[in-house]
Amino acid sequence: MNWKELGKIGEREAEEFLKEKGFKILDKNFRIGDNKTFEVDIIAKKDKVFHFIEVKSSLKGSDYFSPEQRVNYFKKQRIEKAAEVWMGNNNISLDSSWQIDIVSVVFDEHGAKIEFFENV
């Protein structure tokens, strides 16, 4: 399995996790920019708050950094830009409640361990 396949499986796991937690999935893999460099993996809503969610997946023990540590300042800036465009495209005021979250999916021989980091 390559990293792209692992990422897709991780996104499906994250989506199911979010649904179980009461999130309504509004969009997936929203991309903008010339090279599609501004991306949000999952856009969801819960309790009147829009969540722009970055999903990071890895195999246990394969990375020096945990998945959530791989979302740096610059990645957050790109997610914020994509979030603003998505909200504008969907006629949602930028004054609405919204935040950036991370879902970390780490796979091992027993399945997936999922952690949710809110409002990063």
Side-chain angles (χ1 to χ4, degrees):
M1 174 182 332
N2 65 37
W3 287 109
K4 189 172 186 171
E5 291 169 339
L6 183 70
K8 290 296 175 193
I9 294 169
E11 286 180 15
R12 284 194 301 270
E13 292 281 340
E15 183 179 353
E16 289 306 311
F17 170 85
L18 292 165
K19 286 179 182 178
E20 289 173 10
K21 298 289 183 191
F23 287 83
K24 179 181 179 188
I25 306 301
L26 304 175
D27 204 347
K28 295 186 288 187
N29 301 113
F30 176 75
R31 293 178 175 92
I32 59 168
D34 294 337
N35 296 322
K36 309 291 186 203
T37 55
F38 298 89
E39 177 190 13
V40 179
D41 294 324
I42 298 174
I43 301 168
K45 188 175 183 183
K46 182 178 179 183
D47 301 329
K48 299 182 182 180
V49 177
F50 292 93
H51 296 261
F52 296 87
I53 302 164
E54 176 71 9
V55 178
K56 289 295 186 186
S57 304
S58 71
L59 297 172
K60 185 176 181 179
S62 66
D63 287 331
Y64 180 75
F65 293 103
S66 62
E68 66 276 8
Q69 291 174 317
R70 294 191 335 249
V71 182
N72 62 26
Y73 170 81
F74 298 106
K75 180 64 175 174
K76 290 177 193 172
Q77 293 294 98
R78 291 191 298 268
I79 294 168
E80 185 175 322
K81 175 66 175 168
E84 291 171 353
V85 170
W86 185 89
M87 291 173 73
N89 289 351
N90 288 279
N91 298 313
I92 298 167
S93 170
L94 292 177
D95 293 331
S96 299
S97 294
W98 65 279
Q99 65 189 48
I100 297 172
D101 304 324
I102 301 169
V103 173
S104 167
V105 183
V106 178
F107 294 94
D108 64 16
E109 62 276 4
H110 304 292
K113 178 185 177 201
I114 299 174
E115 291 185 86
F116 184 52
F117 300 88
E118 288 192 79
N119 204 17
V120 298

